[in-house]
Amino acid sequence: FVDGILLHQLLQWHHMLSSTDTDRAGVRHYPIDTVPGLRMNTLWDGLFHTVTWLAVLVGLGLLYSRVTGSRGRVWRSRVLWGWILVGWGLFNLVEGLIDHHLLGIHHVRTGPYQLWWDLGFLILGAFLVLAGWLLQRTGGALDLCHGDEPVP
């Protein structure tokens, strides 16, 4: 969501197909400085956001179905927030490697420092994975089905 909302919508640094003039996937070029190009990029941004929202809803549904007691403790759990950070970081790593480097369909910010922006995005993803992994290791296990006492 940080990528989609901040970089795609608010800063408008890139869209899903904004670098298709230099891609390695053979996708038709949709320039963002034309109405038809921006419409196609906006459509693909919307599809991207739809898939991410569905993934979040499925995850929340699975979490809700597994937690029968102590729901408040789950939301305060370092384990939950650690794994959320790991997930965000892994998403950035996979999306950055595939879309920015392998396919080249868009970049974090096009221009003379494009490679550095793309590498910074990967570094941020790796940092999130590491920080999340370390955070979740400091949390205790919770009994999600009974009482409020941590499991030893």
Side-chain angles (χ1 to χ4, degrees):
F1 292 121
V2 172
D3 176 27
I5 293 170
L6 182 64
L7 302 182
H8 290 228
Q9 294 174 323
L10 296 176
L11 295 175
Q12 299 179 19
W13 282 4
H14 69 259
H15 299 280
M16 284 307 294
L17 304 175
S18 58
S19 294
T20 52
D21 56 334
T22 60
D23 71 67
R24 289 178 284 290
V27 177
R28 182 175 158 218
H29 180 49
Y30 297 102
I32 60 171
D33 58 353
T34 68
V35 172
L38 189 55
R39 288 185 67 190
M40 184 60 76
N41 273 283
T42 302
L43 172 68
W44 278 93
D45 286 349
L47 292 172
F48 168 74
H49 290 128
T50 300
V51 169
T52 57
W53 272 109
L54 289 174
V56 167
L57 291 175
V58 167
L60 287 173
L62 288 170
L63 178 63
Y64 186 82
S65 72
R66 304 243 173 146
V67 178
T68 58
S70 305
R71 284 194 176 99
R73 294 196 56 184
V74 170
W75 291 112
R76 294 186 303 270
S77 167
R78 290 179 179 205
V79 174
L80 174 68
W81 292 104
W83 284 117
I84 286 173
L85 288 175
V86 168
W88 286 342
L90 284 175
F91 178 85
N92 282 0
L93 287 171
V94 170
E95 192 270 338
L97 285 171
I98 292 173
D99 290 343
H100 305 170
H101 295 281
L102 294 177
L103 299 176
I105 59 174
H106 72 256
H107 301 280
V108 174
R109 188 164 175 97
T110 56
Y113 301 106
Q114 172 176 298
L115 177 61
W116 292 107
W117 283 103
D118 288 346
L119 291 174
F121 189 78
L122 293 177
I123 291 168
L124 173 63
F127 173 77
L128 290 172
V129 169
L130 178 62
W133 176 255
L134 293 173
L135 180 63
Q136 67 83 27
R137 291 179 53 84
T138 66
L142 293 174
D143 182 351
L144 301 178
C145 298
H146 306 93
D148 287 331
E149 295 300 316
V151 176

